[in-house]
Amino acid sequence: MDYISLLVIAAIAISIFLGYKTGINTGLFSIGFAYLIGAFLLNMETKEIINTWPISIFFVILSVSLFYNFAVVNGTLEKLAMHLLYASRKFPQLILLVIYFAATLTAGLGAGYFTILAFFAPITLLLCKKTNTNSLLGAIAVNYGALAGANFMISASGIIFRGLIADTGLESQAFSDATYIFGATFIMPIVVIIGMMLLSNRGKDNKHLEIEKPEQYNKKQKINLYLIFSMIAIVLIFPILHNILPKNETIAFINSKLDIGLVAMIFSVIAFLFKLGDQKEVIARVPWGTLIMISGVGMLIQVAIKAGTIDLLASFVSTNIPKFLVPYVLALIAAAMSFFSSTLGVVTPALFPIIPEIAAATNLSTTLLFTATVVGAQSSSISPFSSGGSLILGSISGEEERNKMFPRLLFKAVPLCVCAALITTFILTIVI
């Protein structure tokens, strides 16, 4: 491996470390390293370096989050979540599944992982206390739900995965691969949660939920729900119809012209016209930090591709690791990286580009490797050093209780979720 490739790998690691240590956006460090290495070591033109900014992913995340922010600002998603919890008040023994499905549904409707976890984590811990349910299991359930919903093909994380897969040259299968990722990260937690429920409910008398009946949706919230479901129908129905009727020219034409970012922008304009939310607040809630992190790391990854680093990494994995272990190794590498960093901003932008070459060298399915990578990365997101765990800890009011939760997340939740991810990877190797 030449010294430039080693420098690029070091730059990625240093960017992650500095981002974690200083609290400064990792993407900003990545942009700096992309410029220094690209311009002065690879002799790239500055315009060429600037053009590595992933404009397509940036635009899609911007437009989709802009549209879904209306439902957050006007309380539509919060009210939907409370209605779901109220409907399940007579089944406290199923609280973990209720939390999971409520978080999945509302995250899938566009609120995204961080928003849902920040909203649901305090409610989850309170409900666990009221129903005599282990709070650690509640934390695992709500984290799984926020992840699964966000992984929906047209929700926040799912869109990012589609964009990253398309950037590897596999645009034609980006939607179907994202569907596999969503399916795996949706089904696996259900099995884990049911197992946790069976073990934790033995001999326990769960208390009934005491939740006041939520107010009905107001006019703006009803319109917002109609718009959300309409957009989901538009962007899903034509890809599905095209797969069913690939020779239908009309469906093929419409499907080729559909872009979720552009569709979401039209729906945002409609939402603004209906005055469903304050413009300044809706725009302010766009995840600018995530956009900078993903785009900045993306620039450094493009410089790594230019330097040949990605090819070298792919070659190392495919030639030094037995073929049958490759999916597990990718899952574990992703889990180790996500333990301290972001799946969306760091792990998948760094690992997805090497997957097509690994797949070609090992004759493994790219779909399998993409899915195993995401399953592995998200298994350690509940680490107290990562986004999920830190949000859960932040939602605990008492310092003593927070201090108790920290080691439980670190030494119980993370190993449990990583083991579940490896078992899921094994199943994926059979299914895909």
Side-chain angles (χ1 to χ4, degrees):
M1 186 177 289
D2 60 68
Y3 77 96
I4 295 180
S5 291
L6 289 173
L7 279 175
V8 172
I9 294 173
I12 295 172
I14 292 170
S15 296
I16 297 170
F17 175 77
L18 290 176
Y20 171 70
K21 274 294 183 182
T22 64
I24 299 171
N25 195 302
T26 300
L28 298 175
F29 291 111
S30 300
I31 293 170
F33 282 121
Y35 168 55
L36 294 174
I37 296 172
F40 298 102
L41 294 180
L42 297 175
N43 199 29
M44 295 172 66
E45 296 293 333
T46 53
K47 186 180 290 186
E48 185 183 359
I49 297 172
I50 293 171
N51 285 339
T52 60
W53 182 272
I55 187 67
S56 179
I57 295 177
F58 183 93
F59 176 75
V60 170
I61 299 172
L62 168 64
S63 55
V64 172
S65 64
L66 183 71
F67 170 64
Y68 283 129
N69 282 345
F70 286 96
V72 178
V73 169
N74 62 34
T76 301
L77 289 180
E78 180 179 350
K79 191 165 288 186
L80 174 63
M82 295 312 297
H83 274 284
L84 291 170
L85 293 173
Y86 179 77
S88 64
R89 66 194 184 282
K90 294 181 180 179
F91 309 99
Q93 67 275 14
L94 301 177
I95 188 62
L96 294 179
L97 278 178
V98 171
I99 289 168
Y100 173 74
F101 285 119
T104 299
L105 177 60
T106 47
L109 289 177
Y113 173 66
F114 297 103
T115 301
I116 289 301
L117 200 57
F119 167 68
F120 262 101
I123 295 175
T124 296
L125 295 174
L126 178 62
L127 291 176
C128 286
K129 189 174 183 180
K130 286 186 175 183
T131 57
N132 195 29
T133 302
N134 189 316
S135 59
L136 179 65
L137 304 186
I140 293 173
V142 71
N143 186 63
Y144 268 147
L147 288 170
N151 289 348
F152 187 53
M153 296 79 74
I154 62 166
S155 194
S157 303
I159 290 167
I160 293 171
F161 298 147
R162 286 170 59 187
L164 292 172
I165 293 169
D167 284 346
T168 67
L170 300 173
E171 187 171 0
S172 62
Q173 66 182 62
F175 186 87
S176 61
D177 284 358
T179 304
Y180 271 102
I181 291 171
F182 169 68
T185 55
F186 173 71
I187 296 171
M188 178 264 290
I190 296 175
V191 177
V192 175
I193 291 169
I194 290 174
M196 294 192 306
M197 287 169 50
L198 291 175
L199 292 174
S200 63
N201 285 337
R202 288 181 178 178
K204 287 190 176 181
D205 180 24
N206 294 78
K207 302 174 184 177
H208 285 273
L209 290 176
E210 297 176 6
I211 302 177
E212 292 185 9
K213 186 176 182 179
E215 296 179 3
Q216 293 301 310
Y217 299 102
N218 60 37
K219 184 178 179 181
K220 287 185 177 181
Q221 291 168 341
K222 288 179 180 178
I223 294 172
N224 210 150
L225 283 174
Y226 294 146
L227 288 178
I228 289 174
F229 289 121
S230 296
M231 193 188 85
I232 290 174
I234 289 171
V235 298
L236 283 183
I237 190 66
F238 288 101
I240 293 171
L241 287 175
H242 182 59
N243 286 332
I244 297 172
L245 303 168
K247 295 183 180 180
N248 186 296
E249 293 183 3
T250 303
I251 293 174
F253 175 77
I254 297 174
N255 185 56
S256 68
K257 299 299 181 183
L258 274 181
D259 179 89
I260 186 171
L262 295 172
V263 172
M265 196 59 76
I266 291 174
F267 273 83
S268 294
V269 173
I270 296 172
F272 277 126
L273 291 173
F274 276 107
K275 297 181 179 180
L276 300 185
D278 178 72
Q279 178 174 300
K280 288 184 178 180
E281 189 175 357
V282 169
I283 293 175
R285 284 180 174 269
V286 171
W288 299 109
T290 300
L291 281 168
I292 292 171
M293 181 165 60
I294 291 169
S295 301
V297 174
M299 289 180 69
L300 186 52
I301 294 300
Q302 289 301 312
V303 170
I305 292 172
K306 180 80 173 179
T309 309
I310 300 301
D311 293 339
L312 288 170
L313 287 173
S315 175
F316 175 81
V317 173
S318 56
T319 57
N320 291 277
I321 297 171
K323 174 183 172 180
F324 75 96
L325 285 179
V326 169
Y328 305 97
V329 170
L330 280 175
L332 287 173
I333 291 173
M337 292 175 67
S338 182
F339 190 85
F340 293 102
S341 59
S342 165
T343 296
L344 300 179
V346 176
V347 183
T348 48
L351 295 181
F352 272 24
I354 71 173
I355 284 176
E357 291 195 35
I358 293 175
T362 58
N363 200 30
L364 291 170
S365 163
T366 52
T367 303
L368 166 63
L369 300 184
F370 284 132
T371 307
T373 299
V374 174
V375 168
Q378 294 189 339
S379 68
S380 61
S381 67
I382 200 168
S383 156
F385 301 110
S386 193
S387 49
S390 60
L391 281 170
I392 290 168
L393 287 175
S395 65
I396 299 174
S397 55
E399 185 175 350
E400 184 179 348
E401 191 175 348
R402 193 182 304 117
N403 290 336
K404 289 180 180 178
M405 180 63 81
F406 185 95
R408 295 171 72 199
L409 290 174
L410 190 61
F411 299 114
K412 291 184 178 180
V414 172
L416 171 65
C417 293
V418 171
C419 287
L422 292 176
I423 294 171
T424 303
T425 301
F426 171 73
I427 296 171
L428 289 170
T429 60
I430 299 172
V431 175
I432 301 178

